[in-house]
Each structure stands twice: as structure tokens, then as C-alpha cells.
Amino acid sequence: MATPSFSTATLPVLIHLLRGASDLASVAATHAKLFKAGIASTLASSNHLLAAYCRCGAMTSARGLFDGMQDPDVVFWTTLMSGYAASGRSREALSLLRAMELSGVQPNVVTLSTAASAYGKAGRVEDARAVFDGMDAPARNAVSWGAMLAAYTQNALGNEAIQLFAELRTNGRGLAPNQFMLSSVVSACAGVARLGIGKCVHGAALRLGQGNDEVIAVALVDMYSKCGCYEYSRKVFDRIDHPSLIPYTSIIVSAAKYGHGRWALALFSEMVDQGVQPNDVTLLGVLHACSHSGLVDTGLQLLRSMQSKYGIAPCPSHYTCAVDMLGRAGRLEEAFELAMEAQVEGNEALLLWNSLLSACRTHKRLDLATLAGQRVLEFNQDVASGLVLMSNAYASVGQTGNADAVRSGMRRRGIRKDPGCSWIEVKDTPYVFYAGAISCAGARTDEVLTLLDELECKMRERGYKGRLGRARVSDGHEDDGDEGKGVMVGVHSEILALGFGLLVLPKGMTIRVMKNLRMCCDCHEAFKLISVIVEREFVVRDLNRFHHFQMGSCSCSDYW
DNA sequence: TTAGGGTTAG
């Protein structure tokens, strides 16, 4: 039996050991020592032990310790709850909140912030907001606000995050935005491509002395990249001292999206030279860079050597990227063989075979398209895009009867794709356009249409043979889904957004258009020509990448 | 005196 003087002297030492422990073995060893000293069940020991078990993800041991506690206090409950949340077990975390209230222990601001965060991670944003709203305004602190902002951002609710950030400035009782809130809001701006707000938040971060925070910098790199400003993205990156894995990955992914394949590869070798180990996301970024720049053999070498060189085995997304890369380059037999070799299942298989199907359509290979199409239907979680591609594949080889049959089958079965839309930001407000529907331009609708007509005339004088985005879907047009309904459709959404932008944005300003689908070839040609006629630069973000149009050419060199 | 919030891909 230990003497009291032994235990008082030992406790701080053992607690110090627990605080530094990050693996189960050392926590268990310290637990044994505490037990031997007869001080394992003191309040201080229990709290530290529970936190230590949670920190190393040993939730079974944590739960055992918790269940052995008589009358756990609010801290004890909260520690266990955050342990579950951190191990990705949000549901268990949340059921603890109810159990705790039933046992008569009142949650405090830390408990509620933990719960809001767990609700966010479980995708239950409305519940998170209810918890946030349920807190007394004076009780809300920087962590509560940060948790709620993160919940919105992580669930792709960028505009709600931006709105909440604005509320912080008005109702936040003078609470200054910290690095957690700023990085979440910048990331929110990236998700919804709100460049204007993103720039304001960047300015705020600099004024608040957060300019050197690496996490904010990464969010900014990503935000500028997703808003079509690669140069800014690069500038922010260049100011980061000794960038670690995530900044390097972020800038490589940016370079990839803009078709700067060689830069991406140079950044990758720089990163490896600096001793920064890549992860699976980095390698996917490098593969994307190879794909978007036509560096097919370099990309294949990377795929084949990533296991031996970097210890990372290719996963379904690497295979999908490589299949896409071969497909773009017209190397369809190799793409098909690689797709077979990948042995992917479920939703990931759908993405892989969809990608091959898309390439078969582009290169008019109905034989392989049929094989890929069968695979797509086999993994039919989301059949819509596969069917649209299949229909377009038939149309591209002139089998319009089959193409129409697929389309009408979709209509009969009520299968729809997300409607195509494009949007543009004017004075920090986004304007969304759908194909053939220009109502968003409001009172300026007629002006936009007149402008587009004038442009089309000037384009014809320069030999333009397209139809300014007015196309029949079954023409073998891009996979527009509901942008048309198999009949003559209106002007494509990106053309409408461009027309509106030309009318309302100051002369000389680059026009940035975002689109939720891939850009079609006809619109791509139109943007190139219009950039000469009006002498302006345009940036279009489509589903996959960016196109920067300048004086009649595009940064993708027509390879995408 | 122990518990809470952020960034990269698809």
C-alpha cells in the first residue's frame, strides 16, 4: 500500500506521462503504475486517464473507465463525447448528450460546442444549429462560433457559413474572428466560389495578424484557385515558410486544375526534395496534372511506382484518374485494360467506368462504350449520368434512334440529372443562370440577348460555324443532361452568364464564370472568339478544371 | 483543472 507522501509526489509525474502519451501501450502502462500506487481512481487521475485513452482512440478502454465511474461530472461526460466525435463515431457522441441530460448533469458551453461539432461531422447541420441557437448569447464563445462555422463549411453550406460570419460581426458581442473561424470562412468562400467575400476575409485575416497562419494560407490557396485566380493562389503559397504536406498538396492540385502540368511536377519534386512525404491526395493531384496536360507516360510511371517509391498503394481514385488520362489521349484499349485491372467495386466502380464511357463517346468507340456502359449499369447507384453518356455515345456515331430511346426511357422512368447551371459574381452577389432561362438578368434580359446576337454576328464574320450553345442534346453534344430535353434548347448557361457579365462588369475586368457541368466544345470555341472580339479575359470553372481564355486561345490548349 | 473549433481530393 502506497503512503500518502508517495502518491502526492508520484501523481504529477504520472499525469505528465499521460499528457505526453499518444499510444495505447504507454497509456496502459501509466494506468498500471497509477493503480499500483493506489491513486488510479482519484478524480484527477481518472480525468487524465480518460482524456489520454480518448486521445489515442482507445474508445473501448475509455468507455470501460467511464462505466466504472460513480457520478461522472460534466467534464467526464464531455471528454468521452469528444473522444467518440474525434474517432468519427458521432452518433455515439450524440447519444451521450441525451444520456447525460437524463442523468441530471447539465451540459455547459464546452459540452454544447462539442455536440455542435459532432452534429456537423454527422451531417446533421440543422441539429448543430439548434444547439448553437439554444446557447445563451453570452455563453457563446469563439469555440462555439468556430464549431458552427465549421459545421456549415464541412457540409458544403458555404453561403450559410458566410451568413453566420456576418452575424458574428453584428451579434458576436465584439468577439474577434480567430484563425479557426477565418479558415472555415475562407474555405466556405472556396466552396461556393465567392471571390469578393473571400478577398475581404483575406484582408481581415491580414489586419488581424493572422497572415502567417499556415492553415488559413492553405484555405486561401484553395479559395483563389477555386475562384479562378491561379496567380493569387501561387502568391499566397509562395509566402508560406517551409510548406508542409497540405500546402504542397493544395498548390499541386491547383496547378493541375489549370493545366500547368510541368509546374505541378516541379512543385512535386521540390516537395520530395524538401523531405515532405506525399500522401494519396498529393499523388492524385500529380496524376490529375499529368492527365490535364497530356503527360500520359509520366502519369503511368507514377501510377506504377507510387507503391515502391512512396509506400502508397493506388486506390480507386488513382485508377479512375489514370483511366481518364488514357481515355482523353485516345489510348482506349489501355484505358480499358487498366479499368479491368483495377477491380473496383460499388460507387467507385461507377465513377471509373463512367469516365471510360465518356472517353469512348469522345473518340467514337461504340464497341468499348457498350462494354463500359454495361459496367455502369451494373453499379447503378446513380444511373442518370451513365445513361446520358450512353445516349450521347450512340448519337456521336450517328445512331440517333438508339440515343433517343435511351433519353425517352429516362423520362419514362423519371430519371433526371442535376440541371446544368452557371453563375457569376457581381458586387459580391452570385447570379445563377440555367440554359435557355435568362430571367436572372432581370430588367437587363433584353440587353443581354441583344448583346449575344451582336456577338454572334461578329463571330460569324470570323468563320464561326457553331450555334452559340444552342444545340440539340442528341447531337452528340456534351453530357448536358437536362440542359436540353431532347428538343431544341436555349442558349447554354455559361453563354448567358458571360453575356450578363459583359454587360454589368466594368470594362477590362476578367469575367469569371462557374459551371456545375463540363463545358461543351461549342461554348469553348465561342468563349475563345469572344475573348478576341471584346478584348477581355475570361475564366471558366467547369466540373473538372479551369479554362483561361485570352486573345482567342485557352490555357487548356483545347485538351481537356 | 481534467473537456470544445480550422486547411488539401472526389
Side-chain angles (χ1 to χ4, degrees):
Chain A
M1 190 66 192
T3 63
S5 63
F6 174 71
S7 53
T8 43
T10 311
L11 188 59
V13 176
L14 293 181
I15 283 179
H16 183 76
L17 279 176
L18 279 180
R19 295 183 71 134
S22 55
D23 63 298
L24 181 56
S26 51
V27 176
T30 312
H31 191 171
K33 284 180 192 158
L34 281 164
F35 188 77
K36 242 175 136 177
I39 49 176
S41 50
T42 63
L43 188 64
S45 306
S46 307
N47 277 329
H48 282 288
L49 268 173
L50 184 66
Y53 278 125
C54 288
R55 212 167 37 242
C56 57
M59 293 313 294
T60 310
S61 307
R63 186 75 208 207
L65 199 65
F66 180 86
D67 289 339
M69 255 317 254
Q70 282 188 338
D71 301 324
D73 66 0
V74 61
V75 175
F76 223 64
W77 280 99
T78 308
T79 306
L80 188 66
M81 190 193 292
S82 77
Y84 278 124
S87 331
R89 294 161 68 172
S90 307
R91 292 171 70 100
E92 280 145 297
L94 295 168
S95 68
L96 275 179
L97 179 65
R98 283 190 295 276
M100 170 182 169
E101 284 168 328
L102 283 175
S103 79
V105 177
Q106 282 300 309
N108 63 18
V109 61
V110 180
T111 320
L112 293 177
S113 303
T114 308
S117 163
Y119 277 125
K121 290 193 170 74
R124 294 162 59 169
V125 189
E126 286 181 8
D127 290 327
R129 183 67 200 230
V131 169
F132 180 81
D133 286 338
M135 289 186 210
D136 286 338
R140 280 186 212 143
N141 60 17
V143 180
S144 340
W145 284 90
M148 193 59 230
L149 283 169
Y152 279 135
T153 301
Q154 290 162 355
N155 287 281
L157 293 168
N159 287 316
E160 285 78 357
I162 291 167
Q163 174 67 34
L164 185 70
F165 189 68
E167 280 174 41
L168 170 75
R169 311 313 288 265
T170 51
N171 303 326
R173 310 167 69 88
L175 209 58
N178 63 17
Q179 65 270 45
F180 297 97
M181 304 180 206
L182 290 166
S183 48
S184 281
V185 175
V186 171
S187 173
C189 294
V192 288
R194 301 279 300 269
L195 178 63
I197 306 278
K199 277 183 171 172
C200 288
V201 179
H202 187 180
L206 294 174
R207 285 193 301 279
L208 290 159
Q210 300 283 0
N212 292 321
D213 185 282
E214 193 190 81
V215 178
I216 295 179
V218 170
L220 286 167
V221 165
D222 185 53
M223 186 274 291
Y224 282 122
S225 162
K226 286 183 177 157
C227 291
C229 308
Y230 179 77
E231 296 305 319
Y232 281 20
S233 180
R234 186 64 204 247
K235 270 185 193 160
V236 174
F237 174 80
D238 286 341
R239 293 180 59 93
I240 301 175
D241 261 344
H242 303 292
S244 60
L245 167 70
I246 295 180
Y248 266 118
T249 303
S250 183
I251 193 71
I252 286 169
V253 169
S254 304
K257 281 189 190 144
Y258 286 83
H260 299 320
R262 303 263 172 215
W263 285 0
L265 288 171
L267 285 159
F268 180 59
S269 7
E270 180 189 303
M271 167 182 178
V272 173
D273 288 347
Q274 297 290 320
V276 180
Q277 269 294 107
N279 68 5
D280 54 334
V281 181
T282 323
L283 295 177
L284 187 61
V286 180
L287 273 175
H288 266 121
C290 294
S291 176
H292 287 303
S293 308
L295 302 165
V296 184
D297 292 313
T298 311
L300 281 179
Q301 274 169 23
L302 181 72
L303 182 77
R304 296 303 183 196
S305 65
M306 55 192 272
Q307 169 77 72
S308 59
K309 268 189 169 164
Y310 308 107
I312 297 164
C315 67
S317 50
H318 297 104
Y319 279 111
T320 302
C321 185
V323 164
D324 187 59
M325 174 176 75
L326 286 165
R328 281 169 205 279
R331 291 162 63 168
L332 288 169
E333 271 82 9
E334 286 169 84
F336 187 77
E337 280 167 24
L338 190 64
M340 293 295 286
E341 176 197 322
Q343 299 202 336
V344 178
E345 294 286 322
N347 201 42
E348 284 158 334
L350 185 78
L351 293 171
L352 180 115
W353 290 103
N354 245 344
S355 161
L356 185 63
L357 181 53
S358 168
C360 291
R361 204 212 79 211
T362 307
H363 294 280
K364 302 192 195 309
R365 283 290 301 267
L366 193 62
D367 54 337
L368 290 176
T370 309
L371 291 172
Q374 282 165 359
R375 296 291 176 132
V376 166
L377 295 176
E378 204 177 301
F379 300 103
N380 63 351
Q381 299 270 319
D382 165 32
V383 284
S385 51
L387 288 172
V388 170
L389 280 171
M390 203 61 223
S391 157
N392 285 330
Y394 280 125
S396 66
V397 292
Q399 300 189 11
T400 49
N402 282 334
D404 288 345
V406 174
R407 288 274 176 182
S408 55
M410 284 179 71
R411 274 194 298 281
R412 215 171 38 244
R413 293 160 60 194
I415 299 171
R416 299 171 60 87
K417 262 191 83 178
D418 288 343
C421 68
S422 299
W423 63 99
I424 184 171
E425 202 182 64
V426 178
K427 288 187 183 147
D428 298 341
T429 303
Y431 290 80
V432 186
F433 294 85
Y434 294 88
I438 195 162
S439 51
C440 170
R444 314 212 50 178
T445 296
D446 289 344
E447 286 175 86
V448 174
L449 292 175
T450 308
L451 176 69
L452 288 176
D453 280 342
E454 286 169 11
L455 280 173
E456 194 172 8
C457 286
K458 289 184 185 156
M459 288 158 74
R460 297 254 176 262
E461 289 164 13
R462 292 165 187 263
Y464 177 68
K465 300 254 190 309
R467 288 179 292 183
L468 203 59
R470 293 182 201 95
R472 270 173 59 93
V473 171
S474 49
D475 270 359
H477 204 283
E478 284 291 333
D479 43 326
D480 287 332
D482 283 356
E483 277 212 344
K485 292 187 174 57
V487 294
M488 201 69 169
V489 297
V491 183
H492 276 172
S493 58
E494 59 267 54
I495 299 280
L496 294 177
L498 178 68
F500 185 66
L502 284 169
L503 203 63
V504 301
L505 290 173
K507 215 172 164 52
M509 181 193 269
T510 299
I511 297 179
R512 298 167 203 282
V513 176
M514 309 292 158
K515 175 163 180 150
N516 69 339
L517 297 174
R518 278 175 72 173
M519 206 178 183
C520 78
C521 296
D522 189 40
C523 288
H524 195 264
E525 281 305 304
F527 269 65
K528 287 200 297 193
L529 269 176
I530 298 173
S531 76
V532 181
I533 294 168
V534 302
E535 294 182 7
R536 273 175 96 152
E537 292 182 32
F538 313 132
V539 175
V540 178
R541 181 190 87 172
D542 74 8
L543 195 58
N544 286 340
R545 59 164 298 148
F546 282 91
H547 300 268
H548 189 155
F549 299 92
Q550 199 173 6
M551 294 310 289
S553 61
C554 177
S555 59
C556 76
S557 312
D558 302 335
Y559 182 89
W560 85 90

